[in-house]
């Protein structure tokens, strides 16, 4: 993992950290003892964030969900994989589905949780980012770059809403469109297979259908909102621990910009993109670069590196737990048979 991430980490250090590393080190040495207490609270807030994310996953899985500790372990391992691979979101989703399948979660439900959960999380993130822009607009006009980013987020939100409605109502048409769009790729490399495409679309359709339940949607939004709010709190506390005192609207904006850019699959875990975006936004708002760098790197330590280390520790125990279970129990096969779409002479049915 570290071998894959090392080149990007070095690039991020050279471009962002190196010019102000000495100043940041001096700031670190001069911090009061109370800074360590604030940083400790930030670590606790990040733990709450991870817990809330797994609670959201378990709430969406419903009665098929494994125990919370197993869901948390699956989420940690999947997040660790996503953090070390460029564009690792797809690999992470596939791994999450595979691990949940070992706990007798039917494949369609596991796929719907892995795909729909990401969509809901990104929608909440977009709302958080736009709220940060709205709050900072009272103190001055946003820069053109931020305005373009807001427009992009709004367009994506509209596209997600329309796409979700189409998938829920006409999954057969979406399957046909997905097959047509992926034809060149499948001819060139042989992937993704027809079964993979149908499974992905059906997982989204099942997930969107389950979101029609007001109770399910409210529970999912509550836990996802808690996830982002706790992570935002950890970000703000790390800035305070570093000696920065920006207003909360600026903190929300910097956090939103960094995490929106983190969805761009260029580097593992968006190394360099997140740090550069957050430090630049804070610096434009008047926070000294060395202080902003120290706070952002402290937050990334608890938001990126600690969960990755936790994934390395948890992975062997999770795999040992799955080996002790039967991944093909009669109950699981029966549910998969009932939930998996099948072909008939009239088309795809359930």
């Amino acid at each position: 993992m570290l071998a894959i991430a090392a080149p990007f980490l070095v690039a991020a250090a050279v471009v962002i950290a190196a010019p102000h590393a000495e100043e940041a080190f001096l700031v670190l040495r001069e911090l009061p003892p109370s800074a360590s207490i604030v940083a400790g609270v930030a670590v606790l807030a990040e733990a709450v964030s991870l817990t809330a994310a797994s609670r959201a996953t378990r709430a969406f899985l419903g009665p098929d969900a494994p125990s919370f500790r197993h869901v948390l372990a699956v989420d940690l391992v999947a997040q660790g994989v996503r953090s070390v691979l460029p564009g690792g979101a797809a690999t992470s989703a596939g791994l999450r589905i595979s691990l949940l399948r070992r706990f007798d979660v039917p494949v369609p439900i596991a796929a719907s949780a892995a795909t729909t959960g990401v969509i809901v999380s990104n929608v909440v993130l977009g709302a958080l980012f736009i709220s940060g822009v709205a709050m900072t607009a009272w103190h001055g006009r946003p820069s053109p770059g931020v305005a373009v980013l807001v427009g992009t987020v709004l367009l994506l939100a509209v596209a997600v809403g329309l796409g979700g409605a189409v998938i829920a109502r006409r999954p057969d048409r979406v399957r046909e469109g997905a097959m047509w769009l992926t034809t060149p790729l499948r001819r060139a490399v042989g992937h993704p297979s027809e079964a993979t495409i149908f499974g992905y679309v059906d997982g989204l359709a099942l997930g969107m259908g389950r979101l029609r339940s007001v109770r399910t949607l409210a529970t999912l939004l509550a836990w996802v909102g808690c996830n982002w709010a706790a992570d935002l709190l950890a970000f703000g506390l790390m800035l305070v621990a570093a000696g920065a005192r920006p207003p909360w609207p600026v903190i929300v904006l910097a956090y939103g910009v960094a995490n929106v850019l983190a969805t761009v699959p260029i580097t593992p875990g968006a190394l360099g993109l997140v740090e550069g975006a957050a430090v630049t936004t804070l610096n434009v708002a008047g926070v000294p670069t060395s202080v902003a760098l120290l706070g952002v790197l402290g937050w990334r330590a608890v938001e990126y590196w600690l969960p990755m280390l936790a994934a390395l520790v948890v992975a062997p125990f999770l795999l040992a737990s799955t080996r002790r279970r039967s991944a093909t129990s009669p109950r699981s096969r029966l549910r998969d048979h009932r939930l998996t779409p099948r072909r008939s002479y009239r088309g795809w049915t359930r």
Side-chain angles (χ1 to χ4, degrees):
M1 290 184 177
L2 293 179
I4 298 175
F8 299 98
L9 179 61
V10 171
V14 171
V15 174
I16 302 171
H20 301 279
E22 185 176 355
E23 297 176 16
F25 181 73
L26 293 176
V27 171
L28 178 62
R29 292 183 58 183
E30 296 176 358
L31 290 178
S34 59
S36 60
I37 299 176
V38 177
V41 177
V43 174
L44 293 177
E46 196 61 43
V48 172
S49 175
L50 293 172
T51 301
S54 294
R55 290 289 183 186
T57 301
R58 195 165 188 270
F60 189 83
L61 291 174
D64 300 296
S67 65
F68 171 71
R69 63 187 180 92
H70 286 140
V71 174
L72 179 60
V74 168
D75 284 347
L76 282 174
V77 172
Q79 181 176 340
V81 170
R82 182 175 183 174
S83 298
V84 298
L85 295 177
T91 303
S92 172
L95 177 62
R96 180 179 278 109
I97 294 170
S98 176
L99 291 174
L100 289 174
R101 180 66 185 84
R102 296 188 180 192
F103 287 101
D104 291 339
V105 177
V107 173
I109 294 179
S112 66
T115 54
T116 310
V118 172
I119 292 175
V120 173
S121 180
N122 287 339
V123 169
V124 174
L125 171 62
L128 182 65
F129 165 66
I130 292 175
S131 67
V133 174
M135 288 187 293
T136 53
W138 292 96
H139 301 279
R141 185 176 181 180
S143 65
V146 173
V148 171
L149 198 55
V150 170
T152 303
V153 171
L154 289 175
L155 289 176
L156 289 176
V158 173
V160 167
L162 293 176
V166 172
I167 290 173
R169 294 176 180 273
R170 301 300 301 271
D172 52 340
R173 293 292 181 87
V174 177
R175 292 190 203 101
E176 295 174 2
M179 288 293 294
W180 179 77
L181 289 174
T182 57
T183 297
L185 182 62
R186 287 186 289 110
R187 288 178 177 174
V189 298
H191 296 287
S193 65
E194 179 178 340
T196 300
I197 295 173
F198 287 158
Y200 186 83
V201 174
D202 290 329
L204 279 176
L206 179 61
M208 293 300 172
R210 298 187 74 175
L211 291 182
R212 293 178 181 177
S213 168
V214 176
R215 181 177 180 180
T216 301
L217 180 59
T219 303
L220 186 61
L221 287 175
W223 284 119
V224 170
C226 181
N227 167 42
W228 285 115
D231 190 37
L232 171 61
L233 178 61
F235 178 74
L237 288 173
M238 278 299 182
L239 291 177
V240 173
R245 297 294 187 274
W248 268 103
V250 172
I251 294 177
V252 175
L253 177 62
Y255 177 83
V257 170
N259 280 280
V260 168
L261 291 179
T263 60
V264 180
I266 297 178
T267 62
L271 280 173
L273 292 176
V274 170
E275 293 84 353
V279 171
T280 301
T281 305
L282 292 168
N283 183 252
V284 170
V287 179
T289 303
S290 57
V291 175
L293 177 62
L294 182 61
V296 171
L297 291 181
W299 167 64
R300 286 290 272 174
V302 300
E303 182 265 347
Y304 179 84
W305 292 106
L306 284 183
M308 188 187 300
L309 294 177
L312 291 174
V313 174
V314 166
F317 297 97
L318 178 63
L319 294 177
S321 297
T322 59
R323 289 193 189 101
R324 291 193 295 266
R325 299 176 62 92
S326 173
T328 57
S329 65
R331 182 169 63 92
S332 179
R333 289 198 303 267
L334 178 60
R335 287 182 302 184
D336 280 349
H337 175 73
R338 290 175 177 175
L339 291 170
T340 303
R342 55 190 181 276
R343 189 186 297 273
S344 71
Y345 68 91
R346 290 173 296 180
W348 287 85
T349 61
R350 287 192 180 276

